[in-house]
């Protein structure tokens, strides 16, 4: 056998091997899980206080965002509170985490493994040379050359497989802990031009089973930076099952509110002919803070926070606290000093920074502006429907954990950290410490802690 024949036979065997290992696609709903959908109620609190609803959002920003979010979880773990006479960790009161891109690594890991995150997440992800390992995966493994060559696999498919096997232990959404907060992992659907969330409601709209979907693949979609990574593919199974999702939103109201009407674009998935597939990229393209998916949840419930609280059996809530972790890099690279053209990586980094910096403040303002409306809705409906004592006792709070607010020399040092999946252990440690410092320095967070003692 000559060398050319040997190479040919090896290539054929690798191709056959690749084709027998196709990317994992989302499964359609079957009769069993349709029944479960119709019977099961929205996830309720498990051992958490009915009086407090605590929501965390983890921004994008690669390992920088993952480390800052991890530092916040660590701080909440070490923050004791007393609610209704019971001493607990503030971390145990978290009801929901909405995450984007780099922040999705932390939220998914915590949702799956709980306090194990404080034992092994640094070794598994934060202080691991992820980018170097991915580069080796692409360049040094001949099997992956064959996979990518016929477009059987995209780059993100290889990444998703790596995340599933190396970080998330091949777990699916059905493996999330029963007492975990609800975890929402956010991506962006290029065809619809808005966010798509890995949550039951969105998966119901494509008639697909979320419980069997790999968590690592969802995180790969959430962090698939355009151009660097290929989109993650989902199939729209609408029409293949008898389940029809409920859209609480009312087309007759808020006709002039473009933001409200934009949230209803999810109805486009009913048109399977034109939207047969979803091509998902980094969630930061639509919203880098993980906030807009929460606003959409309210919109789906006729734009009423009261309806949403009823759906999740949380009508006794007295304090709703949002802690927004914003790891965006506010520092723009100074190209004006040099004549040379910036590299592709520098351009992509700067484009992301411009996009995030321009819209993050608007998104924060949008959330803050909703508080008076939501407060009025809860007071009005709860005092009519439940007529309980102190039915008008409701307060919203917004705590921002942002590198922009650091008061030490670490500010510029950490903001200059690249948006990548590989940082030095020193930078990771400083990010963790900064999360604790930012919460200690936050007047709103300290006010929230003091108010919790009154419950």
């Amino acid at each position: 056998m000559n060398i050319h024949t040997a190479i040919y036979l090896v290539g054929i065997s690798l191709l056959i091997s690749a084709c027998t290992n196709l990317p994992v696609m989302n499964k359609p709903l079957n009769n069993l899980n349709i029944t479960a959908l119709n019977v099961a109620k929205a996830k309720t609190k498990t051992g958490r206080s009915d009086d407090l609803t605590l929501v965390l959002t983890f921004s994008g920003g690669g390992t920088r965002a993952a480390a800052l979010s991890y530092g916040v979880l660590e701080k909440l773990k070490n923050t004791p509170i007393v609610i209704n006479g019971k001493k607990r960790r503030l971390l145990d009161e978290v009801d929901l985490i909405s995450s984007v891109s780099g922040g999705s690594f932390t939220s998914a890991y915590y949702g799956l493994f709980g306090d194990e995150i404080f034992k092994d997440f640094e070794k598994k992800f934060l202080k691991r040379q992820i980018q170097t390992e991915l580069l080796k995966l692409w360049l040094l493994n001949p099997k992956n050359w064959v996979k990518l060559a016929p477009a059987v696999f995209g780059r993100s498919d290889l990444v998703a497989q790596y995340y599933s096997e190396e970080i998330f232990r091949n777990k699916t959404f059905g493996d999330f802990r029963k007492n975990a907060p609800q975890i929402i992992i956010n991506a962006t659907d290029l065809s619809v031009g808005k966010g798509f969330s890995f949550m039951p409601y969105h998966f119901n709209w494509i008639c697909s089973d979320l419980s069997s979907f790999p968590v690592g693949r969802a995180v790969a979609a959430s962090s698939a930076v355009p151009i660097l990574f290929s989109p993650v593919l989902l199939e729209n199974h609408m029409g293949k099952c008898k389940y029809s999702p409920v859209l609480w939103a009312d087309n007759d109201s808020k006709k002039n509110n473009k933001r409200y009407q934009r949230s209803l674009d999810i109805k486009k998935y009913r048109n399977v002919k034109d939207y047969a597939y979803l091509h998902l990229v980094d969630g930061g393209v639509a919203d880098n803070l993980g906030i807009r998916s929460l606003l959409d949840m309210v919109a789906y419930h006729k734009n009423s926070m009261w309806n949403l609280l009823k759906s999740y059996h949380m009508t006794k809530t007295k304090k709703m606290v949002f802690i927004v972790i914003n790891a965006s890099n506010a520092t723009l690279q100074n190209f004006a000093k040099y004549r040379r053209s910036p590299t592709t990586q520098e351009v992509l980094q700067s484009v992301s920074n411009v996009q995030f910096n321009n819209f993050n403040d608007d998104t924060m303002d949008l959330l803050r502006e909703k508080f008076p409306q939501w407060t009025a809705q809860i007071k009005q409906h709860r005092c009519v429907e439940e007529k309980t004592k102190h039915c008008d006792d409701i307060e919203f709070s917004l705590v921002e954990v942002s590198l922009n607010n650091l008061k030490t020399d670490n500010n510029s040092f950490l903001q200059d950290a690249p948006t990548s999946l590989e940082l030095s252990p020193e930078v990771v440690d400083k990010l963790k410490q900064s999360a604790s410092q930012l919460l200690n320095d936050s007047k709103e967070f300290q006010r929230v802690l003091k108010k919790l003692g009154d419950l």
Side-chain angles (χ1 to χ4, degrees):
M1 180 185 297
N2 61 37
I3 186 65
H4 298 291
T5 303
I7 292 173
Y8 173 77
L9 291 177
V10 170
I12 290 295
S13 64
L14 287 174
L15 181 59
I16 293 172
S17 172
C19 291
T20 59
N21 190 19
L22 296 175
V24 176
M25 290 292 288
N26 53 304
K27 297 178 181 179
L29 290 170
N30 56 41
N31 289 332
L32 181 62
N33 49 39
I34 289 174
T35 302
L37 278 172
N38 291 331
V39 173
K41 299 196 180 222
K43 186 171 184 177
T44 57
K45 290 173 175 281
T46 304
R48 294 185 279 273
S49 169
D50 290 334
D51 292 334
L52 171 65
T53 295
L54 180 56
V55 177
L56 309 182
T57 73
F58 295 168
S59 81
T63 300
R64 187 179 66 246
L68 191 65
S69 300
Y70 174 86
V72 168
L73 292 181
E74 200 170 43
K75 174 64 174 177
L76 298 184
K77 175 178 74 78
N78 296 325
T79 302
I81 59 171
V82 178
I83 297 183
N84 298 325
K86 295 181 180 180
K87 187 174 180 180
R88 298 173 56 78
R89 308 180 305 177
L90 186 54
L91 179 61
D92 297 325
E93 289 295 330
V94 176
D95 294 287
L96 184 150
I97 304 176
S98 176
S99 62
V100 177
S101 197
S104 292
F105 289 92
T106 308
S107 70
Y109 204 89
Y110 179 65
L112 287 169
F113 307 118
D115 277 9
E116 283 188 45
I117 194 173
F118 304 115
K119 300 176 183 178
D120 58 13
F121 189 58
E122 291 186 42
K123 179 181 178 181
K124 279 278 189 180
F125 179 76
L126 291 180
K127 295 182 179 179
R128 190 171 177 176
Q129 294 183 320
I130 298 291
Q131 283 190 186
T132 298
E133 292 185 24
L134 289 176
L135 193 61
K136 290 179 180 179
L137 185 71
W138 288 339
L139 298 181
L140 302 183
N141 190 331
K143 286 186 178 181
N144 292 333
W145 305 345
V146 180
K147 283 182 180 179
L148 292 171
V152 173
F153 262 56
R155 294 185 299 279
S156 288
D157 294 315
L158 292 177
V159 170
Q161 186 174 321
Y162 170 88
Y163 291 165
S164 291
E165 294 174 356
E166 297 292 326
I167 301 174
F168 298 108
R169 309 178 200 174
N170 290 314
K171 299 293 186 181
T172 69
F173 277 80
D175 295 318
F176 276 121
R177 295 175 295 121
K178 291 183 179 179
N179 63 341
Q182 180 175 351
I183 305 296
I184 299 177
I185 296 174
N186 297 287
T188 302
D189 183 0
L190 291 177
S191 298
V192 176
K194 71 183 302 291
F196 181 88
S197 302
F198 288 85
M199 60 184 295
Y201 190 80
H202 278 200
F203 260 60
N204 293 348
W205 273 92
I206 59 173
C207 203
S208 187
D209 175 31
L210 179 62
S211 65
S212 63
F213 196 82
V215 172
R217 190 166 176 81
V219 174
S222 181
S223 56
V225 178
I227 301 177
L228 294 180
F229 297 97
S230 59
V232 171
L233 189 68
L234 295 185
E235 185 175 357
N236 186 357
H237 295 292
M238 179 57 70
K240 296 181 183 179
C241 72
K242 296 180 181 179
Y243 181 74
S244 180
V246 175
L247 185 66
W248 288 54
D250 186 351
N251 281 329
D252 293 331
S253 62
K254 305 288 182 182
K255 285 185 177 180
N256 296 323
N257 187 329
K258 292 183 179 179
R259 171 73 186 83
Y260 175 77
Q261 292 299 326
R262 191 82 178 90
S263 69
L264 306 187
D265 279 348
I266 195 171
K267 293 187 295 184
K268 291 180 179 179
Y269 294 126
R270 288 191 186 275
N271 181 359
V272 183
K273 181 180 178 181
D274 291 336
Y275 295 92
Y277 295 95
L278 287 69
H279 298 269
L280 303 181
V281 297
D282 195 302
V285 174
D287 167 30
N288 196 49
L289 295 179
I291 289 176
R292 291 178 183 261
S293 60
L294 304 180
L295 298 176
D296 285 347
M297 289 174 66
V298 179
Y300 300 150
H301 289 74
K302 294 186 179 179
N303 218 25
S304 169
M305 175 58 77
W306 174 249
N307 286 340
L308 180 63
L309 293 180
K310 283 188 9 179
S311 177
Y312 281 82
H313 311 288
M314 297 165 68
T315 58
K316 294 181 180 179
T317 295
K318 295 179 181 177
K319 298 192 183 304
M320 182 170 282
V321 180
F322 293 83
I323 301 180
V324 177
I325 292 82
N326 180 3
S328 296
N329 187 337
T331 304
L332 297 179
Q333 300 183 49
N334 192 351
F335 301 133
K337 289 183 178 180
Y338 311 104
R339 181 176 180 178
R340 70 168 179 84
S341 296
T343 65
T344 301
Q345 182 177 355
E346 290 172 335
V347 170
L348 287 173
Q349 177 74 63
S350 294
V351 168
S352 296
N353 288 345
V354 170
Q355 177 188 3
F356 298 158
N357 293 336
N358 284 346
F359 294 108
N360 281 352
D361 289 341
D362 291 342
T363 300
M364 290 287 289
D365 289 341
L366 184 61
L367 175 61
R368 198 177 282 108
E369 289 169 1
K370 290 290 184 180
F371 289 172
Q373 177 187 354
W374 293 346
T375 299
Q377 289 171 347
I378 293 172
K379 287 182 177 181
Q380 175 186 356
H381 291 283
R382 183 158 59 192
C383 290
V384 171
E385 296 181 26
E386 298 190 353
K387 298 180 180 179
T388 56
K389 188 176 181 181
H390 305 303
C391 58
D392 60 348
D393 187 1
I394 179 66
E395 181 181 28
F396 288 86
S397 299
L398 176 58
V399 177
E400 183 180 13
V401 179
S402 172
L403 294 177
N404 296 330
N405 297 332
L406 274 178
K407 299 177 181 178
T408 67
D409 294 337
N410 285 335
N411 187 313
S412 58
F413 173 74
L414 293 178
Q415 286 192 344
D416 286 338
T419 303
S420 67
L421 293 178
E422 195 167 307
L423 296 177
S424 70
E426 178 191 12
V427 173
V428 170
D429 287 337
K430 286 186 179 295
L431 285 162
K432 289 163 46 187
Q433 296 163 8
S434 296
S436 179
Q437 178 188 334
L438 286 165
L439 284 173
N440 284 335
D441 292 343
S442 169
K443 293 181 180 179
E444 183 63 15
F445 182 69
Q446 298 304 322
R447 191 185 74 84
V448 166
L449 291 182
K450 185 176 180 180
K451 288 278 189 177
L452 291 181
D454 299 331
L455 292 177

